[in-house]
Amino acid sequence: MPTIVETKQTDTQIAKDYVNRVYEAVIKRNPNESEFHQAVKEIFDSLVPVFEKHPKYMENGILERISEPERMITFRVPWVDDQGKVQVNRGFRVQFNSNIGPYKGGLRFHPSVNASIIKFLGFEQIFKNSLTGQPIGGGKGGSDFDPKGKSDGEVMRFTQSFMTELAKHIGPDVDVPAGDIGVGAREIGYMFGQYKRLRGGYEAGILTGKGVGYGGSLTRTEATGYGTVYFVEEMLKDKGLSFDGSTVVVSGSGNVSIYAIEKATQLGAKVVACSDSNGYIYDKNGINLETVKRLKEVERKRISEYVAEHPEAEYHEGCAGIWLIPCDIALPCATQNEIDEASAKVLVNNGVKAVGEGANMPSTLEAIDIFHENNVLFGPAKAVNAGGVAVSALEMAQNSMRLSWTFEEVDAKLQEIMTNIYRNSVNAAAEYGHPDNLVVGANIAGFLKVADAMMVQGVI
Ligand code: GLU
């Protein structure tokens, strides 16, 4: 007769073997897609306790299905530059999972965009969107187009060409894109105009992140950054800490960073640094957000220009150096894998108490291990930055009802959503035997809702 302990080990081993088998198949089917592999590994590893406790999820091919996109669309995007020369970029849209709602997720315009990046983002989006409690499935898209240094006319011609192809695959009940890196109010405006023209009707819910004057939601601009800070504040509160009086480093200087800086400052923190892809600024007195907003949102300039107006601040070339600055709270809000093992060790040695991921997958798997081993409070991206897409879902709701909520109404809903995500993640982590591990908690909580929908909708 096997002892209880032996039986338990066997269950764990069965679950681990299953997860490893499916992971190997993912690697084999998607060779050379390291970012996608990383995102899948993080999720899969944290789901072992679920399969151990509920073997039924292993019998339905849930993992095999959830890690294969329902659809991956790749298309040519030809456009003419200001010199009259024909340029060609590649467009993508991954429609990853639609069991709990229409595909939902942003579009990224950045030279690094390829199938691996789009698939990692789309895969993450499934679980993030589920965590929001809103009825939205997972999708993502973009292009290797680089908006940096392009004129407004070039950006318009490119986005119109991009939308001409994308329009064949989206719809307010099918797939609803939004912004991400390189896609802000300007790009959404051009894409909305082109879609409207092609469609011959006003389908407000086709895109989110629209201008407030033509169907956008108040608070959407602020939502990802504010939501990041709301989540981290919950995490801190549980340990008797808060933003008030703390020193904070926020990487990036785009939409997520700017509003994370704004909310952290409102809560009494001093944000001493931010960055762009060239380098970072350190202002020991606290960053002047109005200058950053003007440089980045209006003038589209480099962050190095900040020191011309604030000579007391320092500019340093190279963005990774930002993690050398001692801080209580680190909010990586720039891009994937910006905190590696070495940077995580420096942060720990400098006494960081909490890390909240405003960007998508900004910490490597090794960096996350360092934070966990050193008892740093760690909020994973798909929970922490879910406020953006959550308010996108609220934008879709307002579009369907043909009405608009006030800033205060949407902000209150956002706060409630972020608190719920935090609570659900904490509870799932405890229930599945990993108390305080929000990576495991968020992944499990996000997964279960989608898996349950997949179970009852048949093998599709
Ligand atoms: N790109 C954002 C994200 O990573 C927002 C997506 C959306 O609003 O659909 O979640």
Side-chain angles (χ1 to χ4, degrees):
M1 271 271 288
T3 64
I4 291 171
V5 174
E6 279 168 348
T7 312
K8 189 110 196 78
Q9 279 169 343
T10 309
D11 286 348
T12 311
Q13 207 45 54
I14 291 170
K16 276 190 179 160
D17 287 349
Y18 170 61
V19 163
N20 287 339
R21 210 168 45 244
V22 185
Y23 180 65
E24 289 307 319
V26 170
I27 305 255
K28 202 166 162 214
R29 183 176 278 157
N30 306 276
N32 309 318
E33 296 187 353
S34 61
E35 294 85 1
F36 180 49
H37 300 167
Q38 182 182 341
V40 170
K41 178 138 188 64
E42 189 215 279
I43 291 270
F44 276 22
D45 283 351
S46 56
L47 295 179
V48 169
V50 175
F51 298 119
E52 207 183 322
K53 202 168 168 177
H54 306 293
K56 65 173 182 180
Y57 291 115
M58 284 189 285
E59 288 150 23
N60 218 281
I62 301 284
L63 272 196
E64 290 88 335
R65 289 190 283 143
I66 212 168
S67 53
E68 177 66 18
E70 290 176 22
R71 202 166 294 103
M72 175 77 170
I73 302 147
T74 309
F75 49 94
R76 179 170 69 200
V77 190
W79 56 283
V80 180
D81 68 18
D82 285 349
Q83 283 69 48
K85 202 165 166 275
V86 173
Q87 301 285 346
V88 175
N89 285 97
R90 181 172 287 176
F92 298 90
R93 186 72 182 166
V94 65
Q95 299 182 329
F96 228 118
N97 189 287
S98 62
N99 286 94
I100 64 168
Y103 310 106
K104 181 82 197 85
L107 298 168
R108 176 177 292 190
F109 291 169
H110 191 271
S112 66
V113 165
N114 57 30
S116 174
I117 299 277
I118 295 299
K119 276 154 71 181
F120 114 65
L121 291 165
F123 187 66
E124 293 261 303
Q125 205 82 40
I126 303 171
F127 306 93
K128 179 195 316 199
N129 293 3
S130 165
L131 276 172
T132 66
Q134 302 294 311
I136 40 178
K140 201 85 186 191
S143 173
D144 56 2
F145 173 77
D146 187 0
K148 214 183 291 165
K150 303 286 191 302
S151 70
D152 279 350
E154 289 177 320
V155 169
M156 183 180 77
R157 291 192 294 281
F158 167 79
T159 48
Q160 288 177 339
S161 179
F162 181 87
M163 180 51 89
T164 300
E165 197 58 37
L166 186 68
K168 297 169 189 167
H169 309 284
I170 61 176
D173 294 318
V174 179
D175 184 357
V176 183
D180 196 84
I181 293 172
V183 178
R186 173 180 60 168
E187 291 74 17
I188 293 289
Y190 292 148
M191 283 192 277
F192 186 78
Q194 182 71 354
Y195 181 85
K196 188 174 70 58
R197 179 188 188 196
L198 290 163
R199 179 74 185 81
Y202 206 98
E203 285 182 0
I206 187 61
L207 286 168
T208 61
K210 299 181 293 292
V212 173
Y214 67 93
S217 173
L218 286 161
T219 322
R220 176 63 190 89
T221 307
E222 295 83 358
T224 317
Y226 278 21
T228 294
V229 172
Y230 292 149
F231 186 99
V232 174
E233 183 73 348
E234 285 299 315
M235 201 164 77
L236 294 166
K237 211 161 67 187
D238 251 3
K239 305 288 173 196
L241 304 167
S242 90
F243 270 98
D244 195 16
S246 65
T247 300
V248 180
V249 167
V250 180
S251 63
S253 50
N255 170 264
V256 183
S257 316
I258 285 175
Y259 294 95
I261 295 171
E262 183 164 287
K263 185 51 74 180
T265 309
Q266 283 172 12
L267 295 183
K270 185 163 78 172
V271 181
V272 293
C274 70
S275 59
D276 63 18
S277 54
N278 289 9
Y280 68 94
I281 53 161
Y282 170 60
D283 193 336
K284 63 178 185 317
N285 302 320
I287 283 168
N288 183 310
L289 189 58
E290 291 320 304
T291 307
V292 176
K293 273 190 186 176
R294 199 192 65 247
L295 287 173
K296 288 294 175 180
E297 290 183 333
V298 185
E299 297 170 0
R300 298 180 192 278
K301 286 192 174 151
R302 306 311 296 166
I303 202 68
S304 54
E305 305 275 333
Y306 180 94
V307 290
E309 290 171 53
H310 302 278
E312 71 288 359
E314 300 166 15
Y315 172 74
H316 299 268
E317 279 292 325
C319 47
I322 195 169
W323 306 119
L324 299 170
I325 301 169
C327 62
D328 302 309
I329 301 164
L331 302 178
C333 296
T335 195
Q336 67 272 0
N337 292 330
E338 56 172 305
I339 301 187
D340 60 8
E341 190 176 358
S343 297
K345 283 183 178 159
V346 175
L347 280 163
V348 168
N349 287 338
N350 283 339
V352 73
K353 296 187 190 77
V355 177
E357 296 189 316
N360 288 313
M361 208 169 76
S363 312
T364 63
L365 295 172
E366 295 76 21
I368 297 174
D369 286 343
I370 299 286
F371 294 136
H372 280 150
E373 282 159 20
N374 290 280
N375 296 321
V376 174
L377 299 173
F378 181 75
K382 55 180 91 57
V384 173
N385 74 30
V389 76
V391 173
S392 276
L394 301 180
E395 182 173 334
M396 290 162 70
Q398 292 168 82
N399 292 152
S400 297
M401 291 188 291
R402 296 176 188 276
L403 52 77
S404 315
W405 294 322
T406 63
F407 186 94
E408 289 71 23
E409 280 175 290
V410 183
D411 191 36
K413 288 181 202 294
L414 170 64
Q415 288 187 50
E416 196 186 326
I417 289 170
M418 297 317 296
T419 307
N420 286 340
I421 295 175
Y422 176 69
R423 282 279 140 236
N424 292 340
S425 304
V426 168
N427 293 344
E431 192 184 332
Y432 286 88
H434 293 270
D436 285 340
N437 186 328
L438 293 176
V439 175
V440 169
N443 288 345
I444 292 179
F447 170 77
L448 285 175
K449 189 175 161 193
V450 180
D452 287 335
M454 290 175 79
M455 294 284 275
V456 297
Q457 290 179 20
V459 178
I460 53 167

